[in-house]
Amino acid sequence: MRNQGGWLRSFSVLGLAFLYLPIAVLMVFSLNASRLSATWQGVSWQWYEMLWRDEALRTATGNSLLVAGISTVIVLLLGVPAAMGLERIRSRWRGFLEPIFLLPLVIPEVMMGVALLMLFVVLQMPLSLATVMIGHAAFNLPVAIVIIRARLQKLDPRLLEAAYDLGATPWQGFRRITLPLLFPALLGAMLLTFTISLDDFIVTFFVAGPGATTLPLKVYSMIKSGVSPEINALSAVLVMASMGLVGLSLLFQRR
Amino acid sequence: MADLSIDIRTLIKRHGATLAVDHVTLGVRRGEFFSILGPSGAGKSSLLRMLAGFETPDSGEIFIDGQLMAGVPPNRRPVNLVFQSYALFPHLSVAGNVAFGLEMKRIPRGEIEARVAATLELVQMGDKRDRRPGQLSGGEQQRVALARALVNRPAVVLLDEPLAALDQQLRQQMQVELKSIQAQVGITFVCVTHHQEEALALSDRLAVMHQGQVVQVGRPQDLYESPATHFVAQFIGTSNELRGTLRDPHVGQAILTCDHPGLSGKVRVAMPSDLQSGAAVALILRPERVRLASNGEGTAFDNAVPGTVEALRYLGSGWRCVVRITEQIAWTIHLPNHANGLVPWKVGDPVSVQWNVSDGTVLPLP
């Protein structure tokens, strides 16, 4: 039995290595002084400096942050009422609506991208940063709803009754009781959708207009002319930022 | 019309096919501590939720402080509810919880401060005003919940099983405090409970509910000494029971016949004026109204039946004695501790169980 435990432990180490080895390699080589990825010529921060000075890259970063920020706001504004509404719906309808809300989580992203593109074409909406924001909001909404509902279900309904009993109107009850208690979930949902939006390539690829280049699109276009250490550095920054945000998100959801 | 805080008239509430509240008419006087007592499922919680405005009656009226409550939402009713689970707001401090109701009423900041401080002093929580509910013990949470209701000076404070979540010792201490706080503030308290000892100890008057109906309203001593129905007699206090049929009524007394050969025809009872000879009844005897004597001695009491001591339990204030009378019947008898804890019997002793006609209550069986 003990031996078996040892085996299983080494498998979990193997699994971790499988997940994080490529990222570790990427980070190590982003510090390589050599322009050629394969040879090691000592540690240098020069590629990170180069990133900092790249004008196009900074525009792309700005676009990414803007898209992530605004799509997250849209997601929260739609997600909170939607999650609260789902909690109040009678059981028969809920069983029908729940999977429909969650379905986009498992739809292949390519199809989601094509579908959104088609929709914008039919609506004659010119592709731009705005269409990217709408697209990101669409696939992030179910994520936010899942997180917010998990918290809502844990809230004692008597707390709201107590608020009404003490003279609160439904709106005051929402603002003074529900919203503050929902706050950790909102923060968690916010950070997670922000990160997913920041990292998204496929949907963005379909619905971004000319000039609406986000960071992942920029990386993709750079990579076409060969893997440079600059891309390694950029990817390392993206990975660290995403992991940091997701870590924060988990921290807030646990509270 | 008397000065009523709550006036309930023929209230009906259905839950599906069952009548949760069945034609309830009830008046609660201003300033009194009133309890609604009943087993779970008796309809008392439903009644309380209708008073607070969380449930709507199917028919009938509720007046609170003379105001008809039909269509008035919970946030505009002059009542405040102390929830069984307390339902304190976990993200607010003790003072924040207590201030909540006053803030909703847009009372000036300075007055809120003063009233919150005074109310926290009243419930002895002044030194814990900045704690969060999660950092408080059960008893402390109970005090905060009470303060959160009292600070609004409502016409009525509603309490839902107020002491159910506390352990035995704390519960007795809080009983005393709850009663003294109520007397200090002079606000009408309406308390729903299934705990009969608690209801008897706390209440000025109480209503006993059974299957959606109010079966009796009165002072604790009225309910204990003169229960109106067999259910009330059984539900309130410990009762010893002898079932049988009334025979030979004669000047206010009758003979109780039953199918226990040793007892039949030997027990004299009071003849209730509203019953006929032949009625099926239960004789109810409280544990402290029955005396024990050694078997074979003569007796000055109206009734004496033989039995055997089956168990003896020392309570300090006296002895709780179980006497087996027939194979099916064992009575609990309370023997006062007259001196130094001595009791003249031991388990297995034959004894004579004695009482007067006036010690028992005769109630018709349903």
Side-chain angles (χ1 to χ4, degrees):
Chain A
M1 280 309 279
R2 250 183 103 182
N3 208 1
Q4 196 185 4
W7 263 99
L8 289 175
R9 266 197 292 278
S10 40
F11 264 106
S12 60
V13 171
L14 208 67
L16 274 180
F18 183 66
L19 282 173
Y20 287 101
L21 205 59
I23 295 173
V25 168
L26 177 85
M27 287 186 174
V28 169
F29 274 92
S30 73
L31 294 169
N32 191 354
S34 163
R35 173 156 274 286
L36 298 166
S37 297
T39 49
W40 181 259
Q41 285 186 349
V43 176
S44 155
W45 289 96
Q46 60 173 316
W47 309 118
Y48 287 91
E49 282 173 42
M50 213 162 143
L51 279 187
W52 187 247
R53 276 187 257 111
D54 189 331
E55 192 70 39
L57 215 53
R58 264 191 296 190
T59 315
T61 309
N63 283 345
S64 268
L65 292 176
L66 193 67
V67 166
I70 293 188
S71 68
T72 296
V73 170
I74 298 174
V75 163
L76 285 188
L77 288 180
L78 290 176
V80 173
M84 289 177 67
L86 266 177
E87 283 309 298
R88 287 204 197 146
I89 287 169
R90 282 164 199 277
S91 53
R92 195 156 45 98
W93 281 101
R94 200 198 278 184
F96 174 70
L97 274 173
E98 253 176 8
I100 288 192
F101 261 105
L102 300 187
L103 212 54
L105 285 177
V106 292
I107 289 179
E109 233 192 311
V110 177
M111 289 180 50
M112 187 93 176
V114 173
L116 280 164
L117 178 62
M118 292 288 290
L119 180 72
F120 292 136
V121 168
V122 167
L123 293 177
Q124 297 188 327
M125 271 181 84
L127 297 181
S128 63
L129 271 186
T131 49
V132 180
M133 289 165 190
I134 294 171
H136 285 197
F139 66 71
N140 268 328
L141 189 60
V143 177
I145 288 179
V146 167
I147 295 174
I148 295 166
R149 279 193 63 201
R151 180 79 183 180
L152 273 178
Q153 280 162 354
K154 275 193 238 156
L155 286 190
D156 182 0
R158 296 213 166 71
L159 292 179
L160 262 190
E161 284 189 352
Y164 298 153
D165 181 70
L166 290 165
T169 59
W171 167 247
Q172 283 171 318
F174 172 74
R175 211 176 53 80
R176 296 285 312 267
I177 306 300
T178 311
L179 208 53
L181 291 175
L182 225 46
F183 186 68
L186 293 184
L187 212 56
M190 214 173 81
L191 290 167
L192 198 61
T193 55
F194 191 86
T195 314
I196 296 175
S197 167
L198 212 56
D199 293 348
D200 181 75
F201 174 75
I202 302 173
V203 169
T204 320
F205 182 75
F206 281 96
V207 298
T213 308
T214 63
L215 218 41
L217 291 187
K218 179 70 183 161
V219 172
Y220 180 70
S221 72
M222 279 164 79
I223 228 163
K224 279 184 183 160
S225 52
V227 181
S228 76
E230 199 185 349
I231 292 180
N232 288 346
L234 177 58
S235 307
V237 169
L238 275 178
V239 166
M240 291 308 283
S242 303
M243 278 167 60
L245 287 173
V246 171
L248 273 180
S249 154
L250 290 177
L251 200 72
F252 283 119
Q253 283 180 67
R254 200 164 299 166
R255 272 212 292 177
Chain B
M1 195 176 83
D3 192 15
L4 293 179
S5 271
I6 292 181
D7 186 1
I8 299 171
R9 296 184 193 164
T10 50
L11 202 65
I12 298 175
K13 176 72 184 178
R14 284 183 189 82
H15 284 165
T18 55
L19 268 173
V21 173
D22 185 3
H23 295 83
V24 165
T25 296
L26 204 59
V28 178
R29 297 174 195 144
R30 195 175 307 281
E32 103 181 311
F33 198 125
F34 191 90
S35 289
I36 298 166
L37 176 66
S40 56
K44 54 197 195 316
S45 293
S46 208
L47 189 58
L48 193 78
R49 290 181 64 79
M50 284 191 278
L51 289 172
F54 296 129
E55 282 183 28
T56 317
D58 290 324
S59 77
E61 285 112 46
I62 296 172
F63 294 86
I64 298 176
D65 240 7
Q67 302 277 320
L68 181 62
M69 286 294 121
V72 178
N75 55 332
R76 296 225 298 272
R77 293 192 178 206
V79 298
N80 285 118
L81 176 56
V82 177
F83 287 78
Q84 182 175 1
S85 58
Y86 312 139
L88 297 176
F89 306 131
H91 59 300
L92 299 180
S93 67
V94 165
N97 267 277
V98 177
F100 190 88
L102 300 177
E103 286 167 6
M104 293 302 110
K105 289 196 192 75
R106 302 191 186 288
I107 296 209
R109 196 73 237 175
E111 194 189 335
I112 292 182
E113 288 290 326
R115 275 167 73 174
V116 167
T119 312
L120 283 177
E121 282 309 315
L122 180 71
V123 298
Q124 295 167 29
M125 288 294 291
D127 52 336
K128 305 224 164 94
R129 51 172 294 133
D130 296 321
R131 299 271 183 94
R132 292 291 165 99
Q135 301 169 300
L136 302 177
S137 71
E140 290 170 335
Q141 290 185 29
Q142 161 84 69
R143 288 159 197 266
V144 177
L146 184 62
R148 189 174 69 174
L150 286 174
V151 76
N152 304 296
R153 297 179 192 149
V156 182
V157 169
L158 305 170
L159 302 111
D160 188 5
E161 303 275 1
L163 307 177
L166 304 178
D167 60 49
Q168 182 62 30
Q169 207 174 352
L170 201 55
R171 172 182 281 212
Q172 301 210 322
Q173 184 197 336
M174 280 306 290
Q175 265 183 27
V176 177
E177 275 185 46
L178 204 55
K179 182 79 184 157
S180 100
I181 287 171
Q182 192 264 339
Q184 278 181 64
V185 295
I187 294 176
T188 312
F189 275 35
V190 174
C191 167
V192 154
T193 179
H194 68 276
H195 200 279
Q196 49 102 4
E197 267 174 60
E198 201 166 286
L200 292 183
L202 287 171
S203 316
D204 297 317
R205 290 194 312 142
L206 56 152
V208 179
M209 279 191 82
H210 182 45
Q211 293 172 348
Q213 294 178 320
V214 170
V215 284
Q216 192 174 4
V217 181
R219 297 175 303 163
Q221 55 267 47
D222 299 334
L223 298 190
Y224 187 78
E225 302 292 340
S226 342
T229 70
H230 183 238
F231 172 80
V232 175
Q234 279 201 316
F235 192 67
I236 292 186
T238 310
S239 55
N240 298 307
E241 205 180 289
L242 189 62
R243 294 182 181 212
T245 311
L246 290 173
R247 295 281 178 226
D248 307 329
H250 179 64
V251 273
Q253 293 194 359
I255 301 294
L256 189 70
T257 59
C258 50
D259 16 307
H260 305 295
L263 296 175
S264 198
K266 288 184 184 163
V267 175
R268 278 202 289 158
V269 297
M271 180 71 193
S273 54
D274 54 340
L275 292 182
Q276 303 292 319
S277 176
V281 294
L283 166 68
I284 303 289
L285 279 166
R286 298 300 187 184
E288 65 281 359
R289 301 296 284 270
V290 186
R291 271 127 314 216
L292 286 186
S294 293
N295 216 352
E297 286 175 19
T299 178
F301 291 99
D302 297 338
N303 293 298
V305 299
T308 313
V309 175
E310 194 171 79
L312 272 170
R313 192 151 65 90
Y314 183 55
L315 301 174
S317 61
W319 292 81
R320 184 148 284 233
C321 180
V322 178
V323 175
R324 171 80 39 201
I325 291 170
T326 73
E327 232 168 82
Q328 290 83 28
I329 301 176
W331 282 0
T332 302
I333 294 163
H334 188 80
L335 305 172
N337 184 0
H338 287 308
N340 58 32
L342 289 177
V343 67
W345 294 283
K346 58 183 189 301
V347 172
D349 277 355
V351 288
S352 171
V353 180
Q354 308 182 344
W355 70 95
N356 278 325
V357 166
S358 58
D359 289 322
T361 308
V362 176
L363 293 166
L365 284 170

